[in-house]
Amino acid sequence: MSRIGKKVISVPAGVKVAVKGDAVEIQGTKGKLTFAFKPEIKVAWAEADKAINVGLAQGVTKDNAEAKALWGTTRAIIQNMIEGVTKGYEKNLQVVGTGWSAAVSGKKLKLVCGFANPIFVDIPDGITVVVDKTQGDTTPIKVTGFDKQLVGQFASAVRSKRKPEPYNGKGIKYTEEVIKKKQGKQFGA
C-alpha cells in the first residue's frame, strides 16, 4: 500500500476538477493545469464529497513496485496542482556581487553577472518575475507562478547561469541557500 497515495485529496471551494480518460484537469483562480497519469493508476472525482481518490487501476496488483511508486507520485502531483491554482508558488533568488544586477525587460530577464555581455533568459508564460531594488551588492529576484514544476525549473535555469562560487560567495543563489565558504590559498610564512 502507498501511504501517500491512499490519502484523500480534499478540493477547496472555487476549484473545478475534471477527470477525462487518463488525464485530470484542475482549474482555479490562478490558472488551469492538466496532468496525464499512467494507465496503472485510477483517479476518481467525487463531486458530492469535494474529494479526489487516487488508487490502482483494475487488474494491477499491490506487489507491482512501479505502480505503487506511480500511485503516490500521482497523488502528490494532483495535490500540488490544487495548491498551485489556489495559492501559487514562489522561489526567491539573489544575485550577489559588486556591480552585478538583474532586470526584467519585456519577456526576458537580463542578468549582468561578471561576463563581458549580459545574459538574457526567456520568461515562459505563466511565470511572473519581479526584480527588487539592489540592496548593497545583492539584487533580489522573485519568481512566482501557479505551476510548481515550471517555477522551480525557471529558478534553476536562472541559477545555472552563474552558480555561487565558494571563495567569495559571488553568484546567483536561492535566498535560503547557505554557501559554505572555502579558505583561499595561503602564502609563505
Side-chain angles (χ1 to χ4, degrees):
M1 291 290 288
S2 171
R3 288 181 290 157
I4 303 269
K6 66 183 178 183
K7 291 182 182 178
V8 176
I9 304 169
S10 61
V11 179
V15 176
K16 296 177 184 173
V17 177
V19 178
K20 301 172 186 171
D22 285 348
V24 62
E25 187 176 280
I26 311 277
Q27 185 172 2
T29 55
K30 301 255 183 206
K32 180 169 110 175
L33 293 170
T34 305
F35 173 65
F37 52 89
K38 298 283 186 175
E40 294 94 353
I41 305 300
K42 175 186 71 170
V43 176
W45 162 237
E47 194 162 349
D49 299 335
K50 288 282 193 189
I52 299 174
N53 291 311
V54 180
L56 295 175
Q58 194 73 23
V60 178
T61 63
K62 294 179 182 170
D63 299 331
N64 187 342
E66 183 182 359
K68 285 197 313 187
L70 289 172
W71 183 8
T73 301
T74 302
R75 190 247 180 234
I77 289 172
I78 293 171
Q79 177 68 43
N80 289 339
M81 289 168 60
I82 290 172
E83 188 174 331
V85 298
T86 54
K87 299 176 191 170
Y89 289 100
E90 177 180 307
K91 288 274 187 184
N92 293 306
L93 298 151
Q94 288 180 336
V95 179
V96 181
T98 305
W100 294 12
S101 65
V104 176
S105 58
K107 290 295 283 176
K108 292 184 183 280
L109 176 65
K110 177 184 174 185
L111 300 170
V112 177
C113 51
F115 294 116
N117 297 317
I119 299 169
F120 291 95
V121 182
D122 292 327
I123 300 172
D125 294 334
I127 296 279
T128 305
V129 178
V130 177
V131 178
D132 292 333
K133 186 178 176 189
T134 302
Q135 303 157 354
D137 53 331
T138 63
T139 305
I141 303 171
K142 184 190 289 186
V143 180
T144 56
F146 58 88
D147 187 350
K148 184 176 186 176
Q149 190 260 336
L150 194 60
V151 170
Q153 185 176 356
F154 179 76
S156 176
V158 170
R159 183 184 180 277
S160 72
K161 299 302 177 193
R162 188 72 183 236
K163 292 182 183 174
E165 52 95 9
Y167 295 103
N168 297 321
K170 292 166 54 172
I172 302 171
K173 68 179 194 88
Y174 295 109
T175 303
E176 64 276 356
E177 183 178 9
V178 177
I179 306 301
K180 189 172 180 181
K181 292 194 176 183
K182 292 182 178 179
Q183 185 175 357
K185 288 184 179 180
Q186 294 195 1
F187 295 97

